[in-house]
Amino acid sequence: MRFKLFVVCVLACGFMAYVLANENFSTEELDDQVVNAIPETLNKPNPNPNPIPKPNPKPAVKAEPVVPKKVETPIATITAAKPTPKSTAGQRMIPVVHVTSRGTDDVLTVAGLKPVQTFGALVMPNDYLGELYDVDSSGYNWDPNNNVAPPGYPSTAAGGYTITAARLAELRSTFMYWYFDKDMYGGRGDYQFDIHASMTQLHKNLNFQLPFYGFRFNYTRLSLNGYLEFSDPPEYLTYPLVFPIKDWPAKRDPSFMGIFFSKCRVGRIYPSDIDQRTPGVYFRVERDLMGRTDRFGVEVRERTMWDIRQGVVGADTFIPKHVVIATWKNVSFAGGIDNSLFTTNTFQMVLATDEVYTYIIYNYAVLNWLSHTEAGGDTTKGEGGVPAYVGFNAGNGTQAYEYTPYSQNMVIRDLANRGWANGFPGRHVFRVDEQILIGSCNKDIDAALLPLTFAPESGNMLGGQVVNITGPCFDPKIRVTCHFDTESVLGTYVDTNRVICVQPYLKAEGYIRFQISVGTQRFKWRGKYFVETPAAATEKIFFTTDDVHKKNPNEIRITWNQYNLTSNTNANVMISLWGYRETKIEPQLEYIDVIEASYSNSGSYVITPSNYKLRNNVNRDMQFGFLQINLTQPEQYSNLAISPVLWSRPIPLAWYMAPQWEAMHGKRWPRALCDNWIRADRFLRNFAADLPICPCNLDQAVLDKGRFRPDRECDKDSNPSCLRHRGAIHCVVSGTPVAQGAEQQCCYDRYGFLMLTYDQMWGSRPRRIHNLGKMPWNEASKVPSLSMWFHDMRPFYSCCFWQEEQAVGCETYRFERRPSQDCVAYQAPGIAGVFGDPHFVTFDGTPYTFNGLGEFVLARSVDESNKFEVQGRFQQLPNNYYGPVGATQLTAVAMRGNTTTTIEVRLRPLHARWRYRLDVLADGRRVYFDRESLKFQHFDGVTVYTPTYLLNQSQVVVQFDAGIGVEVVENEGFMTGRVFLPWKFINKTAGLFGNWSFNKLDDFMLPNGQVAQLNTNDLRSIHTNFGIKWMLTDRDVPGVGAALFTREFGRMSSYYANATFQPNYVLDPADFLPGNRSYDLERAEELCGECLQCQYDYAMTLNRDLAHFTKNYYDTIVNMQAENAVRVISCGVLQTPRFGRKLSFDFMPGAKVSFECNEGFILVGDQRRECLANGMWNIPEYGYTECLREVYYTRRVAFIAIGIIFLVICPLMLCIVCGVYRYRQKQLKEDPHWQMPVLPRSRASSARNLRTLNYDDDSDTDASTLKKSRSYDKVYRTNEPLPGKPQIDFPAKKWDLDENDEDVTSSEGSENTNRSKLARDISYINPNVTHVTGEKPKQSGRRSLRSPSGTELDQHDVDPDHEHEDDDFDEADVHTGTIHPAGYHQPLSPEEADQLHRQQYSPTFSGLDSRTSGASSINYTPQAATQNRFGGVPVLPSNTQYYSRPPSAVPATPLRPAPTPLTQDTGLPSPPLATSPTPSVQKSTEV
């Protein structure tokens, strides 16, 4: 029995030895005789100088197929009958390899040997250009298929190896990269003999950083099972494989690159296989290739670089720094029978990185089996079951990419026949550093919507961007159509793996649909293409100076990167000029002229504007445009009839159009252009009321994250030049267009104060059109950038930049059309935030701590018209030294406006933050901000941006069109989220940030609207009675809503939520830390001071970074709330006087602003104004400030003087007249007969009056030559009839003027038959007497009769029988009579007049007077005074009125006819239409 057992054991051991020997089978003898049979004589000096002749040299530019010559030395000849290699002593055989037609199981054979169907054979490309005899001085054969590793070490010495184009073409024509199982020193080369069935993986240090799927590793693990991994795989696998592992971290989720993820074992090869390299796993690392000058390093670098550049779109500038080559040669499936060891697969992974970008090449040489037995495959052929997994897994439960449709599918065998990267079937290329981007054509077997890989992913809106596309496998005979949003273009075939489409002119911005169709298929290959606005696009034409903005520059220098067009510097380019205008609904981007028709692609050019002054363009009304550069004959350089196009930023066109504008408008053409724009702009609506109000200072502008973002034209962090805002250090603009599409701009000077256009032309200018335009973008006034330039930038140049600042057009532009808005009514936003583990500060400033685990509502609107939601995800903190931590932290924030795109910001895993700290998802799609043109991205109703100085996405700001802002900041793996709300959301918010009502008592509002009365120090009560009520689920909960987070890999809200999680409810570290941890308590106080939140976080986690940033975040939000709570007082706009300037532009309380005028102008008004503490400018003491020209100033002074005179004298005269009138009315009210008193006259005055009288020459008196001393406008009646008295003719008598008598009357009668009444105070002068005797004539007359009231009247006795004779009245006196100082109060009635005549009798009145007094033609006004101008005898009114108007109770019939008027014309002017007087009338003394 024992013998039987012994025999069985011996047989078993023998069988095991046989199996192990076959598993590691190696034909070393065959290797020595067939493979790499280099003559041993080469290892020592050979007397034969040409033992192995080399082939003829190949051309340096183009590699031609090489037919190797047979060597003349004795070598083994292999006949067709049988391979009988025989060797000569001291020599090794060198096989001559011929390439046969390639099939799945075909092999490379020795000459004359027919191909045999052998499993595990190495497959080579059809057009192999091998160079079997490239042997250097050291005796090494540089054949790409040599199995011996090259000698030497990496070198960086100068003057090293330079690869030729022929050698590069030869290397790239080989399908498989290098892998060696020997070296020249007796080693095993790259062969990993430690990897076998009992040890399937081996750790490898890379000694460099390898970016992979967001993470970065400096090591890897080489596995026999067809992958490189970076962490431990699960203990067991379930098929089909699903990654990432959902149960991570409970189950391990490995990070790996799977080229053929399946359980393998080392297979075997047949002795007839041409490639007799040892089956197994090979691994080789080549580092620091950028500086390598040794031959192998240069060849590895150049081959890998060009394979990747031409194999993957977007890798045009990639240079590999490190290369890893892993090869699985002749590996079989696990679990098969012995004969299955000959059923093998051969594949290779080439990994290249520059430590930023990582590319992988999968080379599938032979695939003969699909699955191992554990996955359901059979034991003989490895068929059936679940095929191998091909793809990538990031690990740690994050993300994975499965290479469909091949992975775990029966079509996996097509991997060896598809891909077509670099023209090889079986080669597949990927970019794997951040996201997995496929670089080879794919196979769509399920008619699914597959993602496109294209580069670049963005382009200028104006078009011309060449987009390289990889997706389906292309055929040159099948048409490819590219669809950009609403525009379609035809693609240009490049190869099976690539098609090129040139982006057309698009009237859109942001992400648009990009899709292609092949042949008659529908558009099923889709992606998102980002359209850059022309003003914010990547700058590709640079202006070395600002001369292009001037109206008459001498020259304009431009530069461009020549490699953006072609790498051939001898290529010719064309430079052209384009312009834009809006004269109808459709926008017009038109070609203007050729600047240079053909110019070498040198990268620089000088434009001379004087060369174009004789142009006469049809579209000369275009005032701004672009420069364009493109290839003239692109097919000569790229074999393609398409050319990339480079565009400049928008530029004004005065340098080109100025001569034409001058011919059209004259030398003052800027004014004409400005006036035309002003007239057109006045017809458009007023948009200023829609804009948000600018903050008063720079600090407020930076903190207002909901409404304003940095302006690209003037950014303190990225563009401080501020060309159109000189003196400014920073500008902000409204983040999203307002409802009508306008944009606000606020610029601040070095002191942080708002700059206004009222002060200077460089101030803040609101814009009618936002740079982002307005939907629909294909209409005028809505095109991104172009409409903004047409309506807002263009007039700035014509009105201000090309004119003086005080020009009328510029002031109209600044004060009327684009005036700055002051900040008087600015309202700072409300702010709330969350930070730490976690701590909250509500909008009303209430701090509290809530450690919820799951997804919660941070803030939401309860107003249906303005809805918004901000949600947060909280996950448990990692363990500390003592074990699990009973606290959570913020790891993601999701937000959405009313109908906007949903934005999600996530914290990346710990080891995935080397490049990006945060992930940003827009509607579930990741977006990145690592390029200048992608810093600001606009989606539907929302704008997302990162600060221009950050490249790692550690700070993200989201702005909604309702003025809501959300800021997410990450530091050392700890997030904080802040929400900014405008005042229209007061009393309209709910959530963990509370109700914003300026009342802390209602902060803990529940979803049902009730308010919980809680103590902020009672964490348990806050958790159970308030915080947990705002937990989210995937279904819509009334008052709470539904979760907005993107669900990946089947992880719903329940994956993150745990309502039963019990955190630490004790706030004070001294109360929950055990007594033996007093050091931790002291450390917390030392780090945090009095900040309780900081102390709590450190005591819970023992993480100094968390404690530090908790304190920092808390102080920041408290300071923000304190600053926004302070009422900003501003005095607003203080207008600059025209033709003047202000010496300072401050408008805050305490500011004193002085004024100055330009030369030739005089300042009028206050020279200085002061801003008072109440927000008002002080009242000017001398009037508002103005600057007047000197001539205008003189006129103004004269007019003011005249005005003062009128304003003083006229009111004074009016007052006097009014006073006299009031006094007279008062007197007449007391006495109806009262007359205005007359001042006494001097005798000299009476004498002067009499001297002016002159009698006619035929008078019979001595005073016949008397001359009247004053001129009268009328003839006054001086004779009145004496009622009841006889008419007496008085004899003529010389007047005896008594100088001592004040008033005299005539005492003698006159012989004149004309009985006239002599007027009182009328002096008659006899010139004859005066001239002869020299004596002064005497005055004679009669004294005036005074009325009882003191008025001088002629007292007449009225006869009752003739009571109407004295009532003569001439109505013409009303219009032409002289207005006396005192007029009659009321005309006397006939009865009163008769009574008056009876009482007053004068002997100077005769009957003749009564008969002739009515003949006077003088006009008289009843209201006139009873005295003449010089105080003489009062003249009674004419009796005419009494003949025409009877007394009351008497019929209106004249009692007797009115006497014939008697007039006197001597020395007196006759009234108009008066008849010639008779001589008797002429002699009358009537005055």
Side-chain angles (χ1 to χ4, degrees):
M1 187 66 183
R2 294 181 179 178
F3 177 75
K4 293 180 179 180
L5 293 176
F6 175 76
V7 172
V8 170
C9 291
V10 170
L11 293 176
C13 292
F15 178 76
M16 292 178 62
Y18 174 77
V19 171
L20 292 176
N22 286 323
E23 186 171 331
N24 295 286
F25 179 77
S26 176
T27 57
E28 296 183 2
E29 183 179 357
L30 185 62
D31 292 341
D32 294 337
Q33 296 178 0
V34 179
V35 181
N36 198 37
I38 302 177
E40 295 178 357
T41 56
L42 293 178
N43 296 329
K44 57 185 178 179
N46 190 355
N48 187 357
N50 295 311
I52 304 177
K54 296 183 180 180
N56 294 330
K58 297 177 291 295
V61 177
K62 184 176 181 181
E64 298 292 343
V66 178
V67 179
K69 298 180 180 179
K70 293 183 179 180
V71 293
E72 298 177 355
T73 54
I75 61 173
T77 59
I78 304 175
T79 63
K82 57 180 179 179
T84 56
K86 296 181 180 180
S87 60
T88 304
Q91 293 181 336
R92 296 191 179 208
M93 295 185 301
I94 301 177
V96 179
V97 180
H98 291 264
V99 180
T100 62
S101 182
R102 182 184 172 197
T104 304
D105 297 321
D106 294 345
V107 296
L108 293 176
T109 62
V110 181
L113 189 64
K114 295 182 180 180
V116 294
Q117 300 293 325
T118 305
F119 296 103
L122 174 63
V123 181
M124 298 300 292
N126 298 343
D127 53 351
Y128 170 61
L129 303 178
E131 189 179 36
L132 298 180
Y133 309 106
D134 189 2
V135 180
D136 62 6
S137 59
S138 64
Y140 180 74
N141 184 2
W142 288 96
D143 172 21
N145 289 315
N146 192 354
N147 69 322
V148 178
Y153 297 94
S155 173
T156 58
Y161 174 76
T162 302
I163 191 171
T164 63
R167 176 62 178 173
L168 179 61
E170 179 185 9
L171 293 174
R172 294 191 59 204
S173 65
T174 306
F175 179 69
M176 298 289 284
Y177 276 62
W178 303 270
Y179 62 100
F180 311 102
D181 63 348
K182 292 177 183 286
D183 59 29
M184 299 186 65
Y185 308 103
R188 302 300 298 269
D190 303 333
Y191 184 76
Q192 306 298 309
F193 53 87
D194 292 330
I195 295 180
H196 44 76
S198 58
M199 184 177 179
T200 59
Q201 69 177 16
L202 193 64
H203 183 88
K204 294 291 183 180
N205 288 321
L206 299 177
N207 294 328
F208 59 83
Q209 295 292 343
L210 175 66
F212 169 63
Y213 222 159
F215 294 89
R216 192 163 58 171
F217 305 96
N218 60 0
Y219 69 93
T220 187
R221 293 173 183 173
L222 177 65
S223 174
L224 174 63
N225 296 328
Y227 58 85
L228 293 180
E229 68 173 1
F230 305 94
S231 58
D232 294 329
E235 296 178 357
Y236 59 90
L237 299 173
T238 302
Y239 299 93
L241 300 177
V242 177
F243 296 101
I245 303 298
K246 298 180 182 180
D247 297 331
W248 182 87
K251 295 182 179 180
R252 290 178 296 192
D253 183 30
S255 175
F256 67 85
M257 305 172 183
I259 183 173
F260 200 85
F261 195 133
S262 183
K263 287 190 175 181
C264 306
R265 60 177 177 168
V266 179
R268 297 177 182 178
I269 61 174
Y270 288 98
S272 60
D273 290 347
I274 184 62
D275 190 354
Q276 291 293 314
R277 278 174 282 199
T278 308
V281 182
Y282 294 76
F283 186 82
R284 186 174 189 87
V285 179
E286 294 294 333
R287 303 182 181 90
D288 304 319
L289 294 174
M290 287 186 177
R292 293 267 292 270
T293 58
D294 61 284
R295 177 167 181 172
F296 189 72
V298 171
E299 289 185 349
V300 171
R301 181 186 68 226
E302 295 300 316
R303 178 181 181 180
T304 308
M305 179 180 70
W306 287 108
D307 280 350
I308 291 177
R309 285 188 178 186
Q310 296 181 4
V312 183
V313 296
D316 299 335
T317 59
F318 176 74
I319 301 176
K321 186 176 181 181
H322 313 286
V323 172
V324 176
I325 304 173
T327 307
W328 290 260
K329 181 182 181 299
N330 296 111
V331 292
S332 181
F333 57 93
I337 62 176
D338 293 343
N339 288 336
S340 66
L341 293 174
F342 293 94
T343 304
T344 61
N345 295 344
T346 299
F347 44 84
Q348 184 183 64
M349 178 192 299
V350 181
L351 191 152
T353 182
D354 61 357
E355 297 189 277
V356 176
Y357 301 100
T358 302
Y359 295 90
I360 289 182
I361 299 175
Y362 283 175
N363 291 326
Y364 294 94
V366 176
L367 295 179
N368 290 321
W369 60 270
L370 305 182
S371 61
H372 60 281
T373 56
E374 289 186 13
D378 60 27
T379 60
T380 58
K381 298 292 185 179
E383 297 175 349
V386 179
Y389 181 94
V390 180
F392 309 90
N393 186 38
N396 295 340
T398 54
Q399 53 188 335
Y401 176 86
E402 187 171 5
Y403 190 23
T404 58
Y406 309 106
S407 176
Q408 303 190 103
N409 199 311
M410 287 302 174
V411 296
I412 193 172
R413 65 180 69 253
D414 290 340
L415 285 173
N417 299 316
R418 302 186 68 86
W420 296 101
N422 305 127
F424 290 113
R427 177 171 290 184
H428 305 256
V429 187
F430 305 87
R431 176 183 165 186
V432 298
D433 50 272
E434 177 59 32
Q435 286 185 306
I436 307 302
L437 301 177
I438 184 173
S440 53
C441 68
N442 205 341
K443 183 178 182 180
D444 180 19
I445 63 173
D446 299 325
L449 299 178
L450 298 180
L452 275 176
T453 300
F454 54 92
E457 297 178 348
S458 63
N460 194 318
M461 187 188 78
L462 301 178
Q465 179 67 59
V466 175
V467 181
N468 294 273
I469 304 167
T470 296
C473 296
F474 302 105
D475 190 326
K477 299 179 181 180
I478 300 178
R479 183 185 65 177
V480 177
T481 303
C482 298
H483 193 71
F484 294 84
D485 196 34
T486 59
E487 305 291 334
S488 296
V489 295
L490 292 179
T492 302
Y493 176 86
V494 178
D495 54 39
T496 306
N497 201 37
R498 182 182 302 192
V499 161
I500 288 178
C501 287
V502 179
Q503 175 211 319
Y505 169 41
L506 301 172
K507 292 180 275 293
E509 61 85 20
Y511 286 97
I512 63 171
R513 296 173 302 167
F514 177 55
Q515 46 198 350
I516 67 171
S517 68
V518 179
T520 58
Q521 296 178 351
R522 60 189 177 92
F523 292 91
K524 61 182 181 180
W525 298 83
R526 299 183 178 181
K528 289 287 188 178
Y529 185 80
F530 187 81
V531 180
E532 306 167 357
T533 61
T538 303
E539 193 171 5
K540 295 186 177 180
I541 300 179
F542 306 91
F543 297 93
T544 57
T545 63
D546 296 333
D547 291 339
V548 70
H549 300 276
K550 299 178 181 179
K551 65 178 181 179
N552 189 22
N554 294 326
E555 64 179 19
I556 300 172
R557 295 182 176 271
I558 62 173
T559 60
W560 66 92
N561 186 351
Q562 54 191 349
Y563 296 105
N564 285 333
L565 294 171
T566 178
S567 59
N568 191 338
T569 57
N570 296 323
N572 290 330
V573 299
M574 181 178 69
I575 305 175
S576 57
L577 181 65
W578 293 66
Y580 179 83
R581 62 183 172 188
E582 293 181 356
T583 57
K584 48 187 179 181
I585 295 180
E586 183 179 359
Q588 298 168 275
L589 178 65
E590 297 181 359
Y591 163 81
I592 295 178
D593 197 0
V594 173
I595 302 301
E596 184 62 54
S598 181
Y599 188 76
S600 62
N601 185 27
S602 60
S604 63
Y605 182 75
V606 178
I607 301 175
T608 305
S610 59
N611 296 337
Y612 314 101
K613 64 182 180 180
L614 299 181
R615 295 289 199 274
N616 187 19
N617 300 95
V618 177
N619 45 13
R620 55 180 170 270
D621 58 333
M622 293 183 173
Q623 299 181 29
F624 80 96
F626 308 86
L627 287 178
Q628 182 196 80
I629 302 178
N630 62 281
L631 295 174
T632 56
Q633 295 177 333
E635 62 277 1
Q636 296 181 2
Y637 316 108
S638 60
N639 296 324
L640 300 174
I642 57 177
S643 169
V645 176
L646 308 183
W647 291 95
S648 70
R649 294 280 179 86
I651 56 173
L653 298 183
W655 60 270
Y656 178 87
M657 293 288 189
Q660 301 181 49
W661 291 339
E662 183 176 350
M664 182 185 301
H665 303 292
K667 291 187 177 299
R668 304 181 68 180
W669 55 264
R671 178 176 179 178
L673 297 179
C674 179
D675 293 343
N676 293 339
W677 172 82
I678 291 174
R679 282 192 294 270
D681 195 69
R682 283 173 175 165
F683 284 100
L684 304 179
R685 60 173 181 83
N686 185 8
F687 64 91
D690 302 333
L691 298 175
I693 299 176
C694 286
C696 291
N697 54 58
L698 180 58
D699 294 336
Q700 289 180 329
V702 172
L703 289 179
D704 198 339
K705 299 294 178 63
R707 289 173 286 193
F708 299 100
R709 64 166 178 82
D711 188 358
R712 296 173 183 267
E713 296 183 356
C714 184
D715 186 1
K716 59 185 176 65
D717 298 319
S718 62
N719 184 20
S721 59
C722 303
L723 174 64
R724 286 176 282 269
H725 300 280
R726 296 177 185 172
I729 62 170
H730 188 68
C731 293
V732 296
V733 295
S734 49
T736 57
V738 298
Q740 300 298 328
E743 179 182 34
Q744 179 65 282
Q745 185 193 45
C746 313
C747 294
Y748 300 87
D749 59 17
R750 62 174 55 91
Y751 303 107
F753 294 120
L754 181 64
M755 298 172 61
L756 305 175
T757 55
Y758 293 99
D759 301 331
Q760 52 183 323
M761 60 183 283
W762 312 109
S764 312
R765 295 187 298 270
R767 298 164 181 170
R768 181 178 297 278
I769 307 298
H770 199 283
N771 180 62
L772 298 175
K774 181 71 176 175
M775 285 287 291
W777 292 305
N778 58 350
E779 295 183 2
S781 301
K782 298 179 181 179
V783 184
S785 285
L786 302 184
S787 293
M788 184 265 289
W789 261 81
F790 183 80
H791 287 280
D792 300 293
M793 293 298 183
R794 173 178 63 101
F796 170 75
Y797 285 95
S798 59
C799 293
C800 293
F801 199 85
W802 295 334
Q803 295 193 66
E804 296 180 356
E805 186 173 357
Q806 289 81 16
V808 176
C810 186
E811 294 192 344
T812 304
Y813 175 85
R814 294 162 50 202
F815 301 156
E816 176 189 342
R817 306 317 306 163
R818 296 295 183 269
S820 301
Q821 293 181 335
D822 58 28
C823 60
V824 173
Y826 173 73
Q827 296 171 333
I831 304 177
V834 57
F835 53 91
D837 64 348
H839 309 283
F840 296 81
V841 177
T842 66
F843 289 107
D844 293 331
T846 301
Y848 70 94
T849 300
F850 166 64
N851 281 288
L853 183 62
E855 297 170 349
F856 296 85
V857 175
L858 298 180
R860 72 190 309 263
S861 172
V862 297
D863 185 9
E864 294 296 329
S865 60
N866 288 311
K867 296 179 63 177
F868 78 93
E869 294 181 89
V870 181
Q871 302 173 358
R873 176 185 294 163
F874 301 91
Q875 295 178 269
Q876 190 171 1
L877 284 163
N879 297 347
N880 62 12
Y881 177 78
Y882 297 98
V885 175
T888 60
Q889 67 167 337
L890 180 68
T891 58
V893 178
M895 62 215 78
R896 182 178 63 186
N898 212 4
T899 58
T900 68
T901 300
T902 299
I903 304 297
E904 181 180 350
V905 182
R906 295 179 182 174
L907 180 67
R908 292 169 67 96
L910 175 62
H911 299 289
R913 301 175 194 143
W914 64 273
R915 185 176 182 185
Y916 303 116
R917 316 292 295 208
L918 299 171
D919 277 331
V920 182
L921 291 85
D923 280 342
R925 180 179 177 273
R926 281 178 171 82
V927 294
Y928 298 92
F929 304 83
D930 52 353
R931 286 189 294 162
E932 179 64 27
S933 59
L934 300 178
K935 284 294 184 181
F936 300 87
Q937 300 184 22
H938 182 243
F939 305 90
D940 292 339
V942 59
T943 298
V944 185
Y945 75 92
T946 60
T948 53
Y949 56 88
L950 291 179
L951 298 177
N952 59 1
Q953 293 183 190
S954 61
Q955 181 179 357
V956 179
V957 180
V958 183
Q959 295 180 329
F960 293 92
D961 51 7
I964 305 165
V966 180
E967 181 185 28
V968 181
V969 181
E970 183 274 344
N971 279 292
E972 297 298 330
F974 303 105
M975 286 177 57
T976 180
R978 307 184 188 111
V979 179
F980 302 80
L981 294 181
W983 280 36
K984 63 182 177 181
F985 288 99
I986 293 178
N987 279 323
K988 297 180 181 179
T989 61
L992 296 180
F993 286 162
N995 179 33
W996 185 22
S997 62
F998 300 101
N999 182 9
K1000 295 183 179 181
L1001 298 178
D1002 62 355
D1003 279 351
F1004 299 108
M1005 181 180 291
L1006 301 177
N1008 58 9
Q1010 297 180 357
V1011 178
Q1013 303 297 328
L1014 303 174
N1015 183 1
T1016 57
N1017 295 323
D1018 187 355
L1019 302 188
R1020 182 182 298 272
S1021 176
I1022 292 176
H1023 188 277
T1024 57
N1025 298 327
F1026 172 68
I1028 206 68
K1029 305 294 183 181
W1030 290 104
M1031 179 176 285
L1032 289 160
T1033 62
D1034 288 314
R1035 60 183 180 86
D1036 194 349
V1037 178
V1040 178
L1044 301 175
F1045 295 92
T1046 300
R1047 302 305 179 191
E1048 293 179 331
F1049 314 114
R1051 294 176 179 174
M1052 309 304 288
S1053 62
S1054 59
Y1055 175 84
Y1056 303 97
N1058 185 1
T1060 63
F1061 174 71
Q1062 294 295 321
N1064 174 34
Y1065 294 123
V1066 181
L1067 185 60
D1068 191 352
D1071 297 335
F1072 65 80
L1073 287 179
N1076 59 353
R1077 293 178 57 185
S1078 59
Y1079 173 79
D1080 295 335
L1081 181 61
E1082 294 175 358
R1083 187 64 173 163
E1085 295 177 352
E1086 178 184 352
L1087 291 174
C1088 305
E1090 298 180 354
C1091 181
L1092 297 179
Q1093 291 86 351
C1094 175
Q1095 294 181 10
Y1096 178 88
D1097 289 359
Y1098 180 78
M1100 290 293 297
T1101 63
L1102 302 181
N1103 190 313
R1104 295 182 57 186
D1105 292 333
L1106 175 60
H1108 170 75
F1109 288 111
T1110 294
K1111 185 176 186 301
N1112 179 272
Y1113 293 150
Y1114 177 73
D1115 293 342
T1116 299
I1117 193 170
V1118 169
N1119 293 337
M1120 285 181 176
Q1121 289 185 337
E1123 185 170 352
N1124 287 349
V1126 176
R1127 178 175 175 266
V1128 177
I1129 300 177
S1130 168
C1131 291
V1133 175
L1134 180 62
Q1135 191 165 349
T1136 302
R1138 187 181 177 187
F1139 307 115
R1141 56 189 175 275
K1142 295 194 301 188
L1143 299 185
S1144 64
F1145 304 131
D1146 191 4
F1147 46 82
M1148 307 301 288
K1152 297 180 180 179
V1153 180
S1154 299
F1155 302 93
E1156 286 184 355
C1157 291
N1158 299 341
E1159 185 177 357
F1161 293 84
I1162 299 177
L1163 189 143
V1164 178
D1166 283 13
Q1167 295 185 357
R1168 188 175 69 175
R1169 301 285 298 279
E1170 182 178 359
C1171 180
L1172 304 179
N1174 59 359
M1176 302 291 290
W1177 292 103
N1178 67 316
I1179 300 176
E1181 299 179 5
Y1182 305 104
Y1184 291 100
T1185 307
E1186 292 182 278
C1187 291
L1188 299 177
R1189 298 183 186 272
E1190 294 181 356
V1191 59
Y1192 294 151
Y1193 177 76
T1194 304
R1195 292 180 183 177
R1196 170 175 285 197
V1197 171
F1199 288 143
I1200 290 176
I1202 296 173
I1204 292 176
I1205 292 174
F1206 277 101
L1207 291 177
V1208 173
I1209 294 179
C1210 291
L1212 181 61
M1213 294 296 298
L1214 184 61
C1215 291
I1216 293 174
V1217 172
C1218 291
V1220 172
Y1221 176 77
R1222 296 289 298 174
Y1223 175 75
R1224 180 176 177 277
Q1225 290 292 347
K1226 180 180 179 181
Q1227 294 299 327
L1228 289 176
K1229 186 175 181 181
E1230 296 176 356
D1231 183 5
H1233 302 289
W1234 178 85
Q1235 298 292 331
M1236 184 69 71
V1238 179
L1239 296 177
R1241 288 188 50 95
S1242 63
R1243 189 177 299 273
S1245 176
S1246 298
R1248 285 194 300 270
N1249 292 336
L1250 290 177
R1251 290 192 191 101
T1252 60
L1253 298 179
N1254 186 15
Y1255 281 32
D1256 293 340
D1257 295 340
D1258 55 352
S1259 176
D1260 56 350
T1261 62
D1262 296 338
S1264 60
T1265 60
L1266 289 177
K1267 183 176 180 182
K1268 192 172 181 180
S1269 63
R1270 57 174 290 191
S1271 62
Y1272 290 85
D1273 294 334
K1274 302 296 180 181
V1275 178
Y1276 291 85
R1277 299 181 179 85
T1278 59
N1279 297 329
E1280 294 292 339
L1282 300 178
K1285 299 296 180 181
Q1287 296 190 10
I1288 301 173
D1289 295 333
F1290 294 93
K1293 180 180 178 180
K1294 182 179 180 180
W1295 289 51
D1296 182 13
L1297 300 178
D1298 188 1
E1299 294 181 357
N1300 297 328
D1301 294 336
E1302 180 181 358
D1303 294 324
V1304 295
T1305 57
S1306 176
S1307 59
E1308 298 183 6
S1310 175
E1311 294 179 357
N1312 193 345
T1313 59
N1314 295 325
R1315 294 161 175 83
S1316 301
K1317 177 180 177 181
L1318 300 180
R1320 174 186 177 274
D1321 277 348
I1322 296 179
S1323 174
Y1324 294 92
I1325 302 172
N1326 190 343
N1328 297 331
V1329 176
T1330 304
H1331 295 164
V1332 174
T1333 63
E1335 296 179 358
K1336 183 178 181 180
K1338 296 182 180 180
Q1339 177 183 359
S1340 63
R1342 51 188 173 84
R1343 298 182 182 275
S1344 61
L1345 301 178
R1346 300 180 182 273
S1347 66
S1349 61
T1351 304
E1352 295 183 0
L1353 299 172
D1354 290 333
Q1355 306 294 331
H1356 300 284
D1357 294 334
V1358 180
D1359 189 352
D1361 296 335
H1362 305 83
E1363 60 182 355
H1364 298 289
E1365 294 181 359
D1366 296 334
D1367 295 335
D1368 187 13
F1369 175 75
D1370 190 352
E1371 292 189 10
D1373 295 339
V1374 177
H1375 306 288
T1376 61
T1378 303
I1379 302 300
H1380 295 284
Y1384 289 102
H1385 174 68
Q1386 179 178 340
L1388 297 177
S1389 63
E1391 293 82 0
E1392 294 173 339
D1394 290 344
Q1395 183 65 26
L1396 182 62
H1397 281 281
R1398 293 191 189 97
Q1399 296 176 358
Q1400 299 178 354
Y1401 169 76
S1402 174
T1404 60
F1405 293 98
S1406 62
L1408 181 60
D1409 297 334
S1410 175
R1411 290 191 300 272
T1412 61
S1413 62
S1416 175
S1417 63
I1418 190 170
N1419 295 325
Y1420 189 79
T1421 303
Q1423 292 82 6
T1426 58
Q1427 288 183 317
N1428 59 27
R1429 180 180 176 184
F1430 301 99
V1433 178
V1435 180
L1436 297 179
S1438 171
N1439 295 333
T1440 305
Q1441 61 175 332
Y1442 299 118
Y1443 290 102
S1444 61
R1445 190 190 65 181
S1448 58
V1450 179
T1453 302
L1455 300 180
R1456 59 184 178 88
T1460 303
L1462 180 64
T1463 60
Q1464 172 183 339
D1465 293 342
T1466 303
L1468 299 176
S1470 300
L1473 302 179
T1475 58
S1476 299
T1478 59
S1480 61
V1481 175
Q1482 293 176 1
K1483 295 180 182 180
S1484 172
T1485 60
E1486 183 180 15
V1487 178

